[in-house]
Amino acid sequence: MTQLRPMPTIDAMALALDEARSAAARGEVPVGAVVMRDGAVLSRAGNRTLELKDPTAHAEMLALRLACEAIDSERLVGCDLYVTLEPCPMCAAAISFSRIRRLYFGAGDPKGGAVENGVRLYASPTCHHAPEVYGGLSESEAAGLLREFFRAKR
């Protein structure tokens, strides 16, 4: 089992941003995610959809899977997720199903987001679990990584 190490909250988003930068270096959309519980990092991941040829290999999905493995459970009760971009509908649903306690995200996503934009999954009466949501954490840095990545692609 992975050894857990304590880490302050603000460092969790710094780790997510590191994962986003690593994703960009691999040619992936720069999104990173970290799952924490009781001040300890359970998992961290960046987008790997191109590398794995898997449309579900978003940073959040990978981080959730790794965290579930780390605690040997399909539920992440008492865990917090830090992600650099507002989750899409697929990731927002997985966050709900995994019972994440708090979701912290950096940049909003007017086109593909599903938390504060788009379908607003957690506001739906059919959503069985809605985490506490805190947007805008390290927003300018997270948005800047995305802007730079897509500017370079054009």
Side-chain angles (χ1 to χ4, degrees), residues 68-87:
C68 286
E69 287 176 22
I71 64 170
D72 195 29
S73 175
E74 79 283 7
R75 300 281 189 250
L76 296 170
V77 175
C79 296
D80 301 330
L81 175 66
Y82 296 78
V83 61
T84 58
L85 181 65
E86 177 183 358

Side-chain angles (χ1 to χ4, degrees), residues 77-120:
V77 175
C79 296
D80 301 330
L81 175 66
Y82 296 78
V83 61
T84 58
L85 181 65
E86 177 183 358
C88 71
M90 173 185 67
C91 293
I95 291 164
S96 175
F97 286 123
S98 68
R99 305 293 198 281
I100 285 288
R101 175 180 57 184
R102 292 184 197 107
L103 166 64
Y104 299 89
F105 69 86
D109 187 354
K111 284 184 174 180
V115 178
E116 291 183 350
N117 293 285
V119 299
R120 299 181 186 189

Side-chain angles (χ1 to χ4, degrees), residues 2-99:
T2 305
Q3 180 156 351
L4 307 177
R5 66 175 215 237
M7 183 163 294
T9 300
I10 196 65
D11 287 344
M13 188 53 85
L15 287 176
L17 288 163
D18 286 346
E19 290 293 332
R21 283 188 280 277
S22 294
R26 293 189 302 272
E28 303 276 1
V29 175
V31 178
V34 173
V35 176
M36 300 210 31
R37 183 176 69 180
D38 299 328
V41 175
L42 291 179
S43 65
R44 54 190 283 184
N47 274 357
R48 291 185 180 276
T49 59
L50 299 173
E51 175 187 340
L52 299 176
K53 296 175 181 49
D54 179 355
T56 70
H58 289 195
E60 302 96 316
M61 299 294 284
L62 297 173
L64 292 172
R65 289 177 189 144
L66 290 169
C68 286
E69 287 176 22
I71 64 170
D72 195 29
S73 175
E74 79 283 7
R75 300 281 189 250
L76 296 170
V77 175
C79 296
D80 301 330
L81 175 66
Y82 296 78
V83 61
T84 58
L85 181 65
E86 177 183 358
C88 71
M90 173 185 67
C91 293
I95 291 164
S96 175
F97 286 123
S98 68
R99 305 293 198 281

Side-chain angles (χ1 to χ4, degrees), residues 130-150:
E132 294 175 32
V133 175
Y134 303 92
L137 191 63
S138 300
E139 181 176 16
S140 60
E141 189 172 357
L145 286 172
L146 289 159
R147 270 192 309 277
E148 290 171 28
F149 177 80
F150 287 111

